[in-house]
Amino acid sequence: MRKRINAGIESYRVKCVAGYVTPSETAVTGGHAYCTYLADREEGDQNWVCLDWCMYEDSDIPCELKPLLNDGGYDNTYGDIWFSFNNEYSWSNEENDIVIDKSVKSLALALGDM
């Protein structure tokens, strides 16, 4: 992600994503992290595409021609997204509450660790 930003690509166009993937019809669904890019498409549209060299090495295909993320990417490999982030922000598909376990905090205070 840093190389793209250093190359002058705006931060809002690059994200790291974590979510479900199913690499093949016979494979078990699991978790995976990958980069996405907001590519310019036909008629001035912009859509997210996968830049995932771990699942599919496709560096010879221009970003504008890669399969769309919201269509599942290659062979419907990419599923629900858990969260995403770039160098400025992070996003979640669910509302999250931060909860502090008071017993752990109390123990840490007693031990002098906090």
Side-chain angles (χ1 to χ4, degrees):
M1 186 164 39
R2 176 60 52 199
K3 286 184 180 184
R4 289 181 187 86
I5 293 166
N6 286 343
I9 296 172
E10 299 91 348
S11 295
Y12 77 89
R13 295 183 78 147
V14 181
K15 286 185 181 180
C16 252
V17 174
Y20 289 112
V21 293
T22 308
S24 71
E25 291 181 17
T26 58
V28 175
T29 298
H32 184 55
Y34 51 95
C35 287
T36 60
Y37 174 70
L38 187 59
D40 295 323
R41 305 294 278 208
E42 296 176 4
E43 301 176 18
D45 290 340
Q46 291 183 320
N47 296 99
W48 292 102
V49 296
C50 297
L51 302 179
D52 186 358
W53 50 89
C54 296
M55 293 274 191
Y56 298 98
E57 198 296 306
D58 63 354
S59 57
D60 56 328
I61 299 173
C63 290
E64 297 76 24
L65 300 178
K66 293 183 188 292
L68 299 180
L69 180 60
N70 63 356
D71 290 341
Y74 296 99
D75 300 323
N76 206 28
T77 298
Y78 301 91
D80 290 341
I81 294 172
W82 305 330
F83 62 89
S84 60
F85 62 93
N86 65 14
N87 64 316
E88 295 180 341
Y89 301 102
S90 61
W91 299 268
S92 173
N93 287 348
E94 296 180 14
E95 187 174 323
N96 294 308
D97 291 326
I98 298 173
V99 178
I100 297 173
D101 184 343
K102 292 181 178 162
S103 62
V104 173
K105 187 174 181 181
S106 297
L107 177 60
L109 285 172
L111 297 173
D113 291 340
M114 293 186 92

